[in-house]
């Protein structure tokens, strides 16, 4: 930050001008300030420069610094940062702290001089030791980042503290941040809130936003959602994108305010227009789904794409889903695979799983079983249940590596415990047949039951068989019929045949030849030879019906 001198002209401008015209340095400086600020006289930046120049050339440090600021900002003269540095240097060498700090900024940023972090720190140090709060903050930043001085968070905190104690808002905010994260000081959220409060009350938008979030979450201060909304609103109204996004979330969820999706959209839009990726993502989702705004899939994709291009993994994944949903449109499936890839590379587990499926099926990308296995494994290691099931299958069948029934069981167990019915069935079958684990019919029944209750047809059929034969469980023909019925209704041909036999023999259900014939026919149509024979034996249809 380049410092400008603060001074207000007295109403008697003409008396100062008379003195200035007689060569009084201080008066020349004051007249320049009056022209610059329009105090007692209309603003005239060109004349301000003229009067600063007169006093500066005679060695008046404040005028030298202000003249440097005019050249730096292009006020009354064309921007010339080299000349700005020359005048800052002259004033700095006289010990003027504002100029010393400004000169430090120029060396830090390479404005008018080559970047020289060591010289920047030296000039900040000189100004800081004179008590200039901005220089103290800047010097703290130098120690924090190890720019021009050895990295030293303890010294950084010391200088932040000095600046904060003088009311420097950036220092107050940054000191709060340090206490919040335990960075350079022990974590102390109460102190963090105190410093955020000081900066927030001076209008520092970042502090207002963070203070609001503290009130919202009850971090370092009791929960107060009304105050949370008040502080976040102050920051949002100053144009802070993160505050606008946060306020949008409050309105969207009705969190501390009445739910108002229209207001939420308004704030998301403001933040999104500033490039806030989370706001762009949620705004895109709102347009795509018609949440709080009429459905506009084009705009939805446009905003999702903006967030995705900034690296927002969830946006990349959802953009992939949008293209995948309309895969019939030429090129969309390729775009879907591209965005799944980007999200997957950032560790997004669902995108990793989807990308694996793309490689497996050759959709939008050349088929490659090895790569499919790699991405399934990445997703599985993050706990993705379906990926875990697939990895178990690959170990079971030896795809992408040697067969390992033991590893298959390990992955199926992880998946089954998360409720994936295919994994539950596979695990049940492994216990039933003793594949990769010792035979344990009780456990087999448990896993068949879990899968069956989720509608897994093969598990329902197997469970029915177990009840019918008393295999690992007490015989219960009624329950056998119940499970055969559920699987049969899903088109499972062996369940249809078994159900037909139950009706035919009156096992677990009242005997009914018509129901038996119905289910024999259903199974026979699917090519079940046993059912076909039973259907023929019942003499309902000629054999040619099935040929």
């Amino acid at each position: 930050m380049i410092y400008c001198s603060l001074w207000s002209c007295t109403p008697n401008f003409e008396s100062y001008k008379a003195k200035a015209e007689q060569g009084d340095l201080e008066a020349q400086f004051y007249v320049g300030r009056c022209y610059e600020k329009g105090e007692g006289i209309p603003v005239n930046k060109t004349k301000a420069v003229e009067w600063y120049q007169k006093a500066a050339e005679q060695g008046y440090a404040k005028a030298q610094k202000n003249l440097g600021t005019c050249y730096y900002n292009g006020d009354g003269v064309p921007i010339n940062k080299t000349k700005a540095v020359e005048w800052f240097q002259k004033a700095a060498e006289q010990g003027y702290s504002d100029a010393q700090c400004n000169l430090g900024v120029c060396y830090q940023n390479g404005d008018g001089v080559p970047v020289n972090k060591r010289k920047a720190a030296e000039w900040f140090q000189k100004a800081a030791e004179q008590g200039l709060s901005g220089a103290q903050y800047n010097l703290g930043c130098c120690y924090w980042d190890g720019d021009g001085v050895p990295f030293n968070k303890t010294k950084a905190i010391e200088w932040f503290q000095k600046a904060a104690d003088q009311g420097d808002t950036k220092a107050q905010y940054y000191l709060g941040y340090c206490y919040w994260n335990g960075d350079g000081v022990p974590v102390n959220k109460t102190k963090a809130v105190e410093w955020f409060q000081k900066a927030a009350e001076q209008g520092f938008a970042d502090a207002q936003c963070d203070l609001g979030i503290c009130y919202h979450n009850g971090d370092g201060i009791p929960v107060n959602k009304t105050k949370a909304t008040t502080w976040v609103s102050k920051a949002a109204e100053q144009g802070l994108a993160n505050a606008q996004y946060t306020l949008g979330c409050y309105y969207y969820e009705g969190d501390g305010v009445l739910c108002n999706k229209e207001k939420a959209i308004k704030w998301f839009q403001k933040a999104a227009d500033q490039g806030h990726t989370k706001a762009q993502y949620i705004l895109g989702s709102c347009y795509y789904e018609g949440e709080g705004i009429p459905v506009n899939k084009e705009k939805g994709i446009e905003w999702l794409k903006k967030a995705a291009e900034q690296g927002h993994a969830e946006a990349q994944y959802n953009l992939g889903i949008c293209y995948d949903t309309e895969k019939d449109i030429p090129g969309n499936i390729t775009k879907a695979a591209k965005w799944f890839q980007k999200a997957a590379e950032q560790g997004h587990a669902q995108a990793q799983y989807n990308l694996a499926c793309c490689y497996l099926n050759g959709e939008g990308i050349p088929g490659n079983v090895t790569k499919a296995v790699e991405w399934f494994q990445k997703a599985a290691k993050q706990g993705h249940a379906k990926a875990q099931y697939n990895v178990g299958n690959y170990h079971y069948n030896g795809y992408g590596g040697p067969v390992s029934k033991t590893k298959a069981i390990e992955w199926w167990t992880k998946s089954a415990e998360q409720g994936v019915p295919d994994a539950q069935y596979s695990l049940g079958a492994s216990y039933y047949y003793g594949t990769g684990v010792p035979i344990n019919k009780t456990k087999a029944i448990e896993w068949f039951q879990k899968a069956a209750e989720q509608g897994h047809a093969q598990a329902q059929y197997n469970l029915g068989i177990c009840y019918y034969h008393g295999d690992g469980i007490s015989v219960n023909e009624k329950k056998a019929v119940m499970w055969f019925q559920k699987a049969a209704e899903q088109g499972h041909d062996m369940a249809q045949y078994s159900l037909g036999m139950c009706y035919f023999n009156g096992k677990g259900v009242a005997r009914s030849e018509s129901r038996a014939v119905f289910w024999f026919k259903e199974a026979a149509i699917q090519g079940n030879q046993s059912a076909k024979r039973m259907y023929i034996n019942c003499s309902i249809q000629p054999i040619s019906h099935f040929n």
Side-chain angles (χ1 to χ4, degrees):
M1 179 176 74
I2 296 297
Y3 273 81
C4 299
S5 297
L6 298 177
W7 178 84
S8 185
C9 290
T10 66
N12 195 357
F13 168 77
E14 292 301 330
S15 65
Y16 276 103
K17 189 176 180 187
K19 288 181 182 179
E21 286 169 345
Q22 291 175 34
D24 186 296
L25 301 185
E26 189 175 19
Q28 290 172 341
F29 168 71
Y30 288 162
V31 169
R33 285 285 295 164
C34 289
Y35 276 118
E36 184 183 7
K37 299 299 177 185
E39 292 176 353
I41 194 82
V43 169
N44 189 324
K45 301 240 174 143
T46 304
K47 285 193 174 181
V49 169
E50 289 174 8
W51 285 105
Y52 286 149
Q53 184 89 32
K54 291 178 188 292
E57 286 173 350
Q58 294 183 72
Y60 194 76
K62 288 183 180 180
Q64 292 170 334
K65 195 277 301 180
N66 279 22
L67 184 58
T69 302
C70 291
Y71 276 113
Y72 190 92
N73 295 322
D75 284 337
V77 285
I79 288 175
N80 188 326
K81 295 198 175 178
T82 304
K83 281 194 175 180
V85 168
E86 289 173 9
W87 287 110
F88 289 151
Q89 183 87 35
K90 289 178 188 293
E93 287 171 352
Q94 291 193 67
Y96 188 34
S97 61
D98 284 7
Q100 291 170 335
C101 186
N102 288 359
L103 189 56
V105 170
C106 292
Y107 276 114
Q108 187 176 57
N109 299 329
D111 287 335
V113 285
V115 170
N116 188 322
K117 298 289 177 86
R118 181 185 57 79
K119 281 192 175 181
E122 286 174 3
W123 284 111
F124 290 147
Q125 181 91 33
K126 290 178 187 292
E129 287 172 350
Q130 292 192 68
L132 187 68
S133 63
Q136 291 170 335
Y137 169 73
N138 287 355
L139 184 58
C141 292
C142 291
Y143 278 112
W144 189 266
D145 298 322
D147 278 344
V149 289
F151 174 80
N152 189 323
K153 287 195 174 179
T154 304
K155 282 195 174 180
I157 297 292
E158 288 174 9
W159 286 110
F160 290 149
Q161 185 78 48
K162 288 179 187 290
D165 287 341
Q166 291 195 72
D168 186 283
T169 55
K170 285 185 180 178
Q172 290 171 336
Y173 172 68
Y174 211 87
L175 195 56
Y177 175 86
C178 293
Y179 277 114
W180 181 266
N181 293 301
D183 214 348
V185 287
V187 170
N188 189 325
K189 296 202 171 179
T190 304
K191 279 195 174 181
V193 168
E194 288 173 8
W195 286 112
F196 289 154
Q197 182 90 31
K198 290 179 187 291
E201 287 171 351
Q202 292 193 72
F204 194 71
D206 289 286
Q208 292 172 334
C209 182
D210 285 359
L211 181 60
I213 291 169
C214 290
Y215 273 116
H216 182 271
N217 298 331
D219 285 330
I221 200 163
V223 169
N224 188 323
K225 294 199 173 178
T226 303
K227 285 190 175 181
T229 303
T230 299
W231 283 111
V232 171
S233 296
K234 288 179 185 290
E237 285 160 4
Q238 287 198 69
L240 186 70
N242 193 52
Q244 293 169 336
Y245 164 73
T246 303
L247 188 57
C249 291
Y250 292 167
Y251 278 113
Y252 191 87
E253 300 294 338
D255 194 358
V257 288
L258 290 174
C259 180
N260 187 325
K261 293 203 172 175
E262 285 183 12
K263 280 191 176 180
I265 297 294
K266 179 190 90 170
W267 288 111
F268 289 148
Q269 184 79 50
K270 288 179 183 291
D273 287 339
Q274 292 193 68
H276 191 285
T277 55
K278 287 182 180 178
Q280 291 172 335
Y281 164 67
I282 199 166
L283 185 61
S285 300
C286 289
Y287 271 116
Y288 197 85
E289 300 295 336
E291 286 282 344
I293 200 163
V295 170
N296 188 325
K297 295 203 171 183
E298 241 178 70
K299 276 196 174 180
I301 288 174
E302 179 187 322
W303 282 110
L304 286 174
K305 195 172 181 184
K306 286 179 188 289
E309 286 171 347
Q310 289 197 72
H312 190 285
E314 195 66 30
Q316 292 169 337
Y317 164 71
N318 278 282
L319 191 56
I321 291 293
C322 292
Y323 285 122
D324 187 63
T325 302
E326 299 181 353
K327 62 174 71 176
D328 294 338
I329 297 173
N332 270 13
I333 192 63
T334 304
K335 289 178 181 177
K338 167 192 155 183
W339 288 110
F340 289 150
Q341 178 95 33
K342 289 183 181 293
E345 287 169 353
Q346 290 198 71
H348 191 289
Q350 185 62 46
Q352 291 171 337
Y353 174 78
N354 286 19
L355 181 61
C357 292
C358 291
Y359 274 117
L360 186 65
N361 301 318
E363 290 189 342
I365 202 164
N368 188 320
V369 173
T370 303
K371 284 194 172 180
V373 173
E374 285 175 11
W375 285 109
F376 279 136
Q377 285 175 332
K378 288 179 189 289
K381 286 174 182 174
Q382 291 198 72
H384 190 285
K386 288 185 179 178
Q388 291 170 335
Y389 167 67
N390 283 359
V391 171
N393 288 347
Y394 292 132
H395 282 298
Y396 189 88
N397 296 305
Y399 293 137
V403 169
S404 174
K405 309 288 188 189
T406 305
K407 283 189 176 179
I409 297 297
E410 287 175 10
W411 284 109
W412 283 340
T413 302
K414 290 177 188 290
S415 179
E417 287 172 349
Q418 291 197 70
V420 174
D422 284 332
Q424 292 169 337
Y425 165 73
S426 297
L427 198 54
S430 298
Y431 278 113
Y432 190 89
Y433 294 109
T435 308
V437 285
I439 289 174
N440 187 326
K441 298 272 179 94
T442 304
K443 281 195 173 181
I445 298 294
E446 286 174 10
W447 287 114
F448 286 152
Q449 181 88 29
K450 289 179 187 291
E453 286 171 353
Q454 291 197 72
H456 193 285
Q458 185 64 42
Q460 291 169 337
Y461 168 70
N462 284 20
L463 192 56
I465 290 292
C466 292
Y467 274 116
Y468 192 87
H469 294 292
D471 198 0
I473 200 165
S474 301
V475 170
N476 189 324
E477 291 176 349
K478 286 187 178 179
K479 283 193 175 179
V481 168
M482 179 189 80
W483 287 113
F484 288 151
Q485 179 87 32
K486 289 181 184 292
E489 287 170 353
Q490 292 193 71
H492 191 285
D493 68 295
M494 282 303 296
Q496 291 168 337
Y497 167 68
S498 299
L499 185 57
M501 291 301 296
C502 288
Y503 276 113
F504 189 82
N505 295 313
K507 295 282 190 179
V509 70
R511 190 172 186 277
S512 170
E513 284 194 22
S514 63
R515 296 306 296 161
V517 167
F518 173 82
W519 286 112
F520 290 150
K521 181 180 177 182
E522 290 295 310
I525 289 169
Q526 294 194 70
N528 187 295
Q529 296 302 310
S530 298
K532 185 185 287 188
R533 284 191 295 272
M534 288 301 298
Y535 184 69
I536 293 166
N537 289 341
C538 291
S539 304
I540 303 299
Q541 291 286 351
I543 192 169
S544 60
H545 180 83
F546 302 101
N547 290 337

